Amino acid sequence: MPEKKRKTPKLDELEKGAWPSFVKEIKTAAEKNAMAEDLLGQLERSYEEKIGHWKHGGIVGVLGYGGGVIGRYSDLPEEFPNVSHFHTMRINQPAGWFYTSDVLRKLCDIWEKHGSGLTNVHGSTGDLVFLGTRTEELEPTFKELTDLGFDLGGSGSDVRTPSCCCGMARCEWACYDTMALTYFLTMHYQDELHRPAFPYKWKFKMSGCPNDCVAAIARSDMSIIGTWRDDIRVDNAAVTEYAKSGMNIERDVVGNCPAKCMEWDGKEIKIDNKACVKCMHCINAMPKALAPGKDRGACILIGAKAPIVEGALLSSVLIPFIKLEPPYAELIDLVDRIHEVWSENGKNRERVGEFIQRVGMGNFLEAIGVEPIPEMVAHPRENPYVFYEEFFEEESEENPKP
Amino acid sequence: MAEQASVQEVADAMYKMIKDSMGQKKWKATDLTKAVNELFGERCDKNIAKSAIRDLIESGKCVYTYFGGSFIEIPHKEGAEN
Ligand code: SF4
Ligand code: SF4
């Protein structure tokens, strides 16, 4: 039990206001955990001095794994000895983040025994994050986690823990089984998840429909987003009910369709499905009346990332529609070809999106053996000088330049 | 066709490369794979290189480290701990 309560006037400010505060949680943990107590001290010091006091990275991990542990050390170990080591462990979360309360209690017990007791459920990577432990506690924690049926997730230049929305478990709009695919990818890429072999990180994120609840389009190197290719299903009687209950269908549904492909005559909704861009707006607005079509699958997009080394990128279309059912052979074949080309030619710390920008989408597609199609055009052409290979061939063989 | 190199042979060659360049160069898994492919030619493919890396890590002769990206090194005292 820590002896003294620190004065933390700056952190105390963060407890004020309407929202839950991480400071309150750390203070609660500090009542029985010395690491949490020193964490408060170091954090207050950082707020006073406006600089961080963590050193990051290094050599720590569990035997055989190259990911799952993020080394962290205090640069003020004499002052805050209990956080001289403060490593993070990433625990591979179950697909869709489903736990029993019993298992959550057991996870917390493990962490109170071996670490600070502080968790982040869930971190932005998707994993369940254990915050703060010492090097010598890593292997014992890992042993207890594996005994409970859990494993570490990814970190470093590896396949990061795949994550997904709750999909078919809870959501009628899921166009494929996101949880099944997430589990499959996690198991299929175990080697790549635990043994970093890429130029930099690789993230898969799976959303069941274009609402994209896991923000796959912004946060994953490969975004797998559910979609459909037949017509939106319409129940006109239910549309009329919405109108009767006061919804302004013309203004709030038809008027906000980005493709301007809907019409409402007061009795019926008509959709030009060929022009629909599957934005989900109309379906979200009238869930009782409209639903995605029945011919469902996913769109595969490539190249998103948050700004770390370079700026942020959104992913862009690679495969407009694919059926996603076990054994997912077509998807795995595609992913393996991309990994091979990127591993062979990518620079250190170059995400696949940056790699594509550097070599050009045309060269990338050629290298992975995918034909270019109009759906891949991410934005209008900027360069008016377009060269066609056929033109060059004709010129060189039959009509040489003078 | 030449006989395939053994995993042990490739692991030993990788270990030597890492050891000989300690303090001068950090090796990524892809760099090691390329280097042994060059050294052994058609006697070594990607799967042998992958198994060799796995052997080096699981035997504890090498460890993964993280300095911006992931590297493979001979275990040493943690710099950040000092
Ligand atoms: S992304 Fe779509 S399918 Fe998944 S939970 Fe959100 S709305 Fe439902
Ligand atoms: S899904 Fe979007 S684009 Fe398609 S009809 Fe509805 S609002 Fe229009």
Side-chain angles (χ1 to χ4, degrees):
Chain A
M1 182 89 114
E3 285 165 18
K4 60 178 165 71
K5 276 227 170 357
R6 288 174 192 282
K7 293 247 178 301
T8 54
K10 291 222 176 324
L11 292 178
D12 296 349
E13 288 297 310
L14 297 173
E15 284 186 282
K16 297 176 185 166
W19 304 101
S21 165
F22 71 95
V23 173
K24 182 168 165 252
E25 300 304 325
I26 301 177
K27 282 184 178 173
T28 308
E31 284 167 17
K32 51 183 179 177
N33 186 298
M35 279 188 132
E37 170 68 16
D38 271 4
L39 178 64
L40 283 173
Q42 178 164 314
L43 206 52
E44 180 71 16
R45 177 78 173 265
S46 283
Y47 276 70
E48 279 163 10
E49 297 175 353
K50 298 190 175 64
I51 50 167
H53 283 289
W54 296 119
K55 294 184 285 181
H56 171 69
I59 209 167
V60 290
V62 298
L63 181 66
Y65 280 21
V69 177
I70 294 103
R72 192 165 289 118
Y73 300 90
S74 169
D75 69 2
L76 301 168
E78 276 86 31
E79 262 174 90
F80 305 107
N82 296 306
V83 291
S84 57
H85 296 195
F86 201 73
H87 312 314
T88 289
M89 296 182 88
R90 288 193 183 145
I91 320 302
N92 194 324
Q93 82 285 8
W97 300 298
F98 285 94
Y99 300 89
T100 61
S101 49
D102 177 55
V103 104
L104 279 175
R105 281 197 187 90
K106 286 178 176 148
L107 286 165
C108 290
D109 288 347
I110 293 174
W111 198 230
E112 283 186 351
K113 184 169 154 199
H114 294 289
S116 71
L118 296 167
T119 59
N120 180 352
V121 185
H122 290 86
S124 56
T125 58
D127 306 83
L128 191 162
V129 179
F130 280 2
L131 292 161
T133 193
R134 297 191 58 79
T135 304
E136 59 274 20
E137 295 292 346
L138 293 170
E139 290 289 354
T141 311
F142 182 54
K143 163 88 176 59
E144 289 199 35
L145 282 169
T146 48
D147 288 348
L148 191 59
F150 281 83
D151 194 2
L152 295 187
S155 69
S157 308
D158 63 9
V159 166
R160 298 301 186 82
T161 317
S163 83
C164 66
C165 74
C166 60
M168 287 178 173
R170 293 190 62 198
C171 187
E172 63 192 293
W173 291 329
C175 294
Y176 70 97
D177 191 341
T178 52
M179 292 172 62
L181 179 61
T182 300
Y183 181 73
F184 175 82
L185 291 173
T186 306
M187 300 314 284
H188 185 84
Y189 287 112
Q190 275 292 293
D191 199 55
E192 288 77 4
L193 208 155
H194 297 308
R195 283 173 265 281
F198 295 140
Y200 204 17
K201 62 187 92 167
W202 171 275
K203 297 184 179 182
F204 288 110
K205 290 199 192 293
M206 277 57 72
S207 280
C209 80
N211 279 335
D212 194 9
C213 290
V214 290
I217 199 164
R219 294 169 50 210
S220 54
D221 300 273
M222 180 167 275
S223 330
I224 306 179
I225 301 179
T227 189
W228 63 96
R229 59 181 168 184
D230 55 350
D231 296 350
I232 290 178
R233 287 178 291 155
V234 182
D235 175 349
N236 273 310
V239 178
T240 315
E241 283 299 312
Y242 275 108
K244 272 196 207 148
S245 65
M247 180 182 269
N248 186 334
I249 292 180
E250 187 59 41
R251 187 191 65 196
D252 295 337
V253 182
V254 175
N256 285 334
C257 167
K260 301 282 171 250
C261 65
M262 305 183 84
E263 276 176 31
W264 165 243
D265 62 6
K267 287 195 205 98
E268 272 193 348
I269 282 264
K270 286 208 181 92
I271 301 174
D272 176 4
N273 280 279
K274 283 199 289 302
C276 166
V277 294
K278 319 279 196 290
C279 78
M280 290 294 288
H281 164 68
C282 59
I283 299 172
N284 291 336
M286 299 194 292
K288 288 184 191 161
L290 305 178
K294 286 188 167 167
D295 186 7
R296 297 176 176 195
C299 176
I300 298 180
L301 302 98
I302 185 110
K305 60 177 281 292
I308 296 183
V309 184
E310 303 264 335
L313 292 173
L314 290 181
S315 55
S316 62
V317 172
L318 184 64
I319 307 289
F321 189 88
I322 185 171
K323 282 282 185 190
L324 282 176
E325 276 142 24
Y328 309 107
E330 207 183 330
L331 174 66
I332 295 302
D333 181 48
L334 174 73
V335 173
D336 288 349
R337 276 181 280 145
I338 296 171
H339 282 173
E340 190 163 338
V341 170
W342 173 53
S343 294
E344 185 72 23
N345 303 294
K347 292 183 186 170
N348 187 27
R349 301 196 83 191
E350 186 175 51
R351 296 284 286 269
V352 75
E354 293 157 353
F355 171 67
I356 294 170
Q357 282 191 328
R358 178 166 63 83
V359 301
M361 189 55 142
N363 291 328
F364 174 72
L365 292 174
E366 197 176 324
I368 63 167
V370 171
E371 283 293 313
I373 49 170
E375 286 91 330
M376 293 172 180
V377 176
H379 52 85
R381 193 175 72 221
E382 287 158 349
N383 182 349
Y385 298 99
V386 177
F387 301 101
Y388 293 95
E389 275 174 28
E390 293 82 0
F391 174 77
F392 278 119
E393 272 161 27
E394 233 170 66
E395 184 182 71
S396 56
E397 283 163 21
E398 290 161 26
N399 192 16
K401 270 187 185 169
Chain B
M1 188 171 145
E3 198 185 315
Q4 280 209 319
S6 70
V7 171
Q8 187 59 50
E9 206 181 338
V10 174
D12 289 346
M14 284 178 173
Y15 185 79
K16 187 170 179 327
M17 288 172 193
I18 299 169
K19 193 159 185 265
D20 289 351
S21 57
M22 253 176 101
Q24 288 151 29
K25 177 179 166 66
K26 283 193 193 298
W27 293 83
K28 289 186 78 76
T30 38
D31 302 332
L32 284 171
T33 305
K34 279 181 198 166
V36 290
N37 280 346
E38 242 167 61
L39 187 68
F40 290 92
E42 60 180 22
R43 291 182 60 224
C44 176
D45 63 20
K46 257 188 292 185
N47 288 333
I48 297 178
K50 203 168 166 179
S51 303
I53 291 174
R54 194 174 172 149
D55 272 18
L56 287 174
I57 299 292
E58 290 188 348
S59 65
K61 285 179 84 179
C62 290
V63 286
Y64 287 107
T65 59
Y66 183 82
F67 296 95
S70 299
F71 298 92
I72 295 169
E73 296 186 59
I74 292 171
H76 52 85
K77 173 110 174 77
E78 179 80 275
E81 204 179 335
N82 299 325

